[in-house]
């Protein structure tokens, strides 16, 4: 499957492998990391960003693709929606059917609320399903939530909101127990103890996994629980705008049936935004590991309603996306591949960085290797570096790959590449939205006492970089808390007359700023169609 040039490079990788076994490059110090990030990480490319010229974050920067959506008008601006005709009336409306949305719905239901989930694809079609490596929790004797906090706070460049990160790490052991009680089949040893491993930037082995199907296994369990509890789920139904009432409260959302394009009105006492990430916006033309619906919808709807964003200018590029073959270009190659022994090496077979540096540092190092240093491996779609996977079985014994990372093995075997015998090519892929809507420690937005956000749509939990395994954790911790808080707050809320006045006010703001993109937002689905002249 590999080209002659790639095969020549593999010979160099094989030749240097004996010398690399049992050794690895040292970790960079703080100054080296900062210099590397500023020189090579996409977050530092000025041309990739634009200034927000309207709304709560006016004057701040964000990725150009996101700014364009923030500067676009509502889909409903010229639509006549009968807000007196209410198709749904619930206590808690959960927007998004991934791990955060499902966790919120389960806990809201258990708290006695009338809850409903709306999702523009199917229940479970989310980045949760695509997560592979594992979920962090400090539940071993040699670990503690304090140590987890220090790892995550440092890995996020000391920018995480302390009240959010504290909740994440303190509630992590209970989140693992909750998932286990629901039926998630975590990896265990013969005595029934959880098997844990390291991730990039971790000082303890606290990564709990289900082989490399962790997200799929968690989502399977959450989806089954939502359905078993009889929680109503409207699939292929996108939220396109939040509703307010005359008191200025959030009062539900306008929905659109993706298939018929009909609009529907959902009244709710509390709303949970759990719409996930933005990878399908392909910031700076990067490939993405994200699912098809990751188009920043929740950020757009919340922002247009007046909820501010936080750290919207910082994105995580996972260092190891598949660089070859083209059929899986950008697909996630889990960090777990490195945690079980694979090493990143360049075209000459040289190990150029510690295999478990934090993700932003690793991504920047790979970009440098393929760029200025000119030591990347040329592929039909660009360049990449080798992830020397045969090292895994040399270190851990024959069968380790099949046992620990079977999804990776099968993904590459589908294209004639046996990662047990040959290394695989990787390059950074757009992976995670570090920024999002700003919330307090209780999960509510700063502006509304009945609008909550959970999961990847939140900004501030991880600071400006996220460690592996803390995303699957945050969807559980903040999803559960959002569901409980939404159900409790719904008992105090009475909604009034429904209104979309805020979308007209936002339109006037755009007009005054001289902005006219000619587009509408939220995007809902990525634009991949080719329009030939």
């Amino acid at each position: 499957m590999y080209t002659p040039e790639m095969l020549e490079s593999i010979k160099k990788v094989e030749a240097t492998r004996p010398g690399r076994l049992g050794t690895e490059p040292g970790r960079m110090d703080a100054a080296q990391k900062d210099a590397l990030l500023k020189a090579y990480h996409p977050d530092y490319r000025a041309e990739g960003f634009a200034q927000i010229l309207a709304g709560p974050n006016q004057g701040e920067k964000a990725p150009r693709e996101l700014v364009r959506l923030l500067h676009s008008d509502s889909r409903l601006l010229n639509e006549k929606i009968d807000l007196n005709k209410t198709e749904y009336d619930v206590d808690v409306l959960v927007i998004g059917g991934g791990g955060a949305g499902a966790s919120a719905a389960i806990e809201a239901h258990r708290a006695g609320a009338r809850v409903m989930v709306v999702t523009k694809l199917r229940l479970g079609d989310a980045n949760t399903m695509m997560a592979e490596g594992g979920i962090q929790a400090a539940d071993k004797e040699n670990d503690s939530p304090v140590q987890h906090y220090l790892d995550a706070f440092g890995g996020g460049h000391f920018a995480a909101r302390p009240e959010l990160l504290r909740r994440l790490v303190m509630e992590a052991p209970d989140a693992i127990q909750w998932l286990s009680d629901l039926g998630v089949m975590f990896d265990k040893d013969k005595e029934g103890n959880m098997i844990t491993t390291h991730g990039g930037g971790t000082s303890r082995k606290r990564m709990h996994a289900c082989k490399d199907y962790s997200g799929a296994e968690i989502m399977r369990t959450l989806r089954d629980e939502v359905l078993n509890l009889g929680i109503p789920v409207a699939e292929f139904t996108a939220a396109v705008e939040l509703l307010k009432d005359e008191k200025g409260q959030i009062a539900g959302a306008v929905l659109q049936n993706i298939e018929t394009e009909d609009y529907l009105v959902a009244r709710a006492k509390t709303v949970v935004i759990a719409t996930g990430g933005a990878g399908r916006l392909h910031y700076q033309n990067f490939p993405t590991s994200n699912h098809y619906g990751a188009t920043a919808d929740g950020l757009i709807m919340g922002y247009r309603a007046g909820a501010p964003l936080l750290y919207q200018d910082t994105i995580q590029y996972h260092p190891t996306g598949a660089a070859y073959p083209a059929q899986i270009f950008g697909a996630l190659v889990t960090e777990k591949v490195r945690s079980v022994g694979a090493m990143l090496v360049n075209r000459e077979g040289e190990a150029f960085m510690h295999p478990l540096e934090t993700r932003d540092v690793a991504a920047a190092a790979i970009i440098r290797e393929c760029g200025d240093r000119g030591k990347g491996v040329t592929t039909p779609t660009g360049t990449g570096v080798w992830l020397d996977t045969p090292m895994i079985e040399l270190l851990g014994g024959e069968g380790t790959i099949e046992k620990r990372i079977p999804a990776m093995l099968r993904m590459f075997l589908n294209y004639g590449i046996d990662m047990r015998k040959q290394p695989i090519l990787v390059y950074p892929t757009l992976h995670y939205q570090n920024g999002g809507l700003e919330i307090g420690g209780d999960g509510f937005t700063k502006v509304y006492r009945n609008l909550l956000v959970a999961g990847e749509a939140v900004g501030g939990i991880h600071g400006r970089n996220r460690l592996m395994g803390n995303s699957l954790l945050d969807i559980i911790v903040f999803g559960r808390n959002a569901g409980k808080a939404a159900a409790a707050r719904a008992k105090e809320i009475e909604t009034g007359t429904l209104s979309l006045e805020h979308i007209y006010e936002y339109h006037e703001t755009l007009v005054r700023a001289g902005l006219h993109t000619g587009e509408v937002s939220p995007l809902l689905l990525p634009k991949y169609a080719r329009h030939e002249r």
Side-chain angles (χ1 to χ4, degrees):
M1 186 64 187
Y2 288 134
T3 66
E5 182 181 352
M6 294 174 187
L7 292 173
E8 281 300 310
S9 179
I10 287 176
K11 290 179 181 178
K12 297 178 181 179
V13 173
E14 292 171 340
T16 61
R17 189 177 293 147
R20 290 186 280 106
L21 283 171
T23 64
E24 56 192 24
R27 292 187 182 272
M28 302 178 199
D29 61 30
Q32 290 172 321
K33 290 179 182 180
D34 286 344
L36 177 66
L37 291 171
K38 290 176 181 177
Y40 295 100
H41 195 276
D43 277 359
Y44 291 86
R45 294 176 183 169
E47 66 274 15
F49 297 85
Q51 191 176 55
I52 302 172
L53 299 177
N57 293 82
Q58 182 176 346
E60 299 178 15
K61 71 173 184 177
R64 288 185 177 278
E65 298 83 353
L66 179 61
V67 170
R68 189 169 182 85
L69 295 180
L70 294 174
H71 288 173
S72 297
D73 271 317
S74 169
R75 292 173 167 271
L76 303 181
L77 189 65
N78 297 311
E79 297 284 346
K80 293 183 179 180
I81 309 296
D82 185 358
L83 299 181
N84 294 314
K85 181 185 177 184
T86 304
E87 280 80 12
Y88 305 105
D89 193 341
V90 296
D91 296 326
V92 179
L93 177 66
V94 178
I95 303 174
S103 298
I106 290 167
E107 291 292 11
H109 175 86
R110 289 180 174 178
R114 294 177 301 121
V115 59
M116 173 185 178
V117 178
V118 296
T119 178
K120 65 183 174 184
L121 298 174
R122 299 168 300 178
L123 181 63
D125 285 342
N127 282 344
T128 303
M129 191 73 182
M130 305 175 79
E132 297 166 346
I135 175 172
Q136 285 202 50
D139 57 1
K140 294 292 183 72
E141 290 183 359
N142 70 333
D143 202 358
S144 73
V146 172
Q147 193 63 47
H148 188 178
Y149 183 100
L150 292 173
D151 289 347
F153 198 49
H157 302 287
F158 308 99
R161 289 293 171 90
E163 69 274 19
L164 301 183
L165 184 55
R166 181 181 185 278
R167 173 158 282 187
L168 181 78
V169 301
M170 292 299 292
E171 298 181 18
D174 185 62
I176 295 293
Q177 188 61 54
W178 185 73
L179 289 172
S180 185
D181 290 345
L182 284 178
V184 171
M185 295 189 291
F186 288 109
D187 295 340
K188 297 179 181 179
D189 62 22
K190 293 179 180 178
E191 286 72 44
N193 301 307
M194 294 271 193
I195 296 173
T196 54
T197 58
H198 272 299
T202 62
S203 61
R204 301 289 188 276
K205 292 182 178 181
R206 69 173 71 96
M207 203 68 56
H208 302 65
C210 313
K211 294 184 169 52
D212 55 349
Y213 297 103
S214 301
E217 170 62 7
I218 288 171
M219 194 67 245
R220 174 196 69 81
T221 307
L222 294 175
R223 182 174 54 225
D224 285 353
E225 186 68 6
V226 169
L227 298 177
N228 290 338
L229 292 174
I231 297 171
V233 179
E235 296 183 314
F236 301 108
T237 302
V240 296
E241 212 65 73
L242 296 175
L243 286 165
K244 292 187 182 181
D245 64 13
E246 78 280 6
K247 307 171 192 175
Q249 303 175 129
I250 296 300
V254 176
L255 316 175
Q256 185 177 30
N257 184 300
I258 292 293
E259 296 172 307
T260 67
E261 299 187 350
D262 292 334
Y263 291 109
L264 309 164
V265 176
R267 178 189 290 270
K269 296 178 180 178
T270 54
V271 174
V272 179
I273 291 177
T275 51
R280 288 290 164 171
L281 298 183
H282 292 284
Y283 296 145
Q284 300 189 42
N285 293 316
F286 268 79
T288 186
S289 64
N290 282 197
H291 82 107
Y292 194 65
T295 50
D297 298 352
L299 273 59
I300 303 302
M301 289 186 288
Y303 189 81
R304 190 175 285 133
L309 301 171
L310 179 65
Y311 301 152
Q312 70 282 350
D313 59 331
T314 174
I315 310 298
Q316 182 168 91
Y317 297 82
H318 196 292
T320 56
Y324 184 84
Q327 295 95 323
I328 55 171
F329 184 54
L332 181 64
V333 176
T334 173
E335 194 168 302
K336 189 174 181 180
V337 177
R338 286 175 284 142
S339 73
V340 295
M343 185 176 284
L344 288 162
V345 296
N346 61 27
R347 185 180 63 201
E348 303 303 317
E350 301 163 336
F352 56 90
M353 56 164 282
H354 189 283
L356 288 177
E357 291 284 7
T358 56
R359 287 178 172 179
D360 54 351
V361 172
I366 293 170
I367 291 170
R368 177 182 64 182
E369 210 68 15
C370 293
D372 287 357
R373 288 189 173 178
K375 293 189 177 183
V377 181
T378 301
T379 76
T381 52
T383 57
V385 297
W386 294 112
L387 188 52
D388 194 7
T389 49
M391 291 184 68
I392 295 172
E393 304 216 327
L394 291 174
L395 293 167
E398 187 176 348
T400 301
I401 288 177
E402 173 71 28
K403 181 180 179 181
R404 302 295 297 276
I405 47 174
M408 290 295 96
L409 174 63
R410 294 185 179 102
M411 181 169 75
F412 282 94
L413 281 176
N414 285 338
Y415 302 99
I417 297 171
D418 188 341
M419 64 190 297
R420 295 169 295 191
K421 300 176 181 178
Q422 291 180 310
I424 57 177
L425 279 168
V426 296
Y427 190 80
T429 184
L430 182 54
H431 185 61
Y432 189 82
Q433 173 181 277
N434 289 322
L437 292 164
E438 185 177 4
I439 64 169
D442 54 5
F444 291 93
T445 58
K446 297 288 188 177
V447 179
Y448 297 104
R449 62 190 292 265
N450 65 336
L451 177 64
L452 302 98
V453 191
E456 196 172 343
V458 174
I461 299 174
H462 309 287
R464 292 185 170 273
N465 180 60
R466 177 180 63 78
L467 299 189
M468 170 192 178
N470 278 347
S471 176
L472 282 178
L473 177 59
D474 89 49
I475 65 174
I476 304 302
V477 169
F478 288 91
R480 292 182 68 197
N481 287 336
K484 295 173 186 176
R489 185 58 52 85
K491 297 175 182 178
E492 308 169 5
I493 298 291
E494 289 297 332
T495 56
T497 303
L498 301 181
S499 169
L500 283 168
E501 186 60 32
H502 67 282
I503 71 169
Y504 298 97
E505 294 172 356
Y506 192 79
H507 169 70
E508 290 302 318
T509 301
L510 297 178
V511 170
R512 288 195 297 271
L515 299 170
H516 181 69
T517 66
E519 298 178 6
V520 295
S521 60
L523 184 60
L524 301 184
L525 296 172
K527 295 180 178 179
Y528 289 137
R530 292 182 179 179
H531 301 284
E532 304 293 346
R533 292 186 178 181

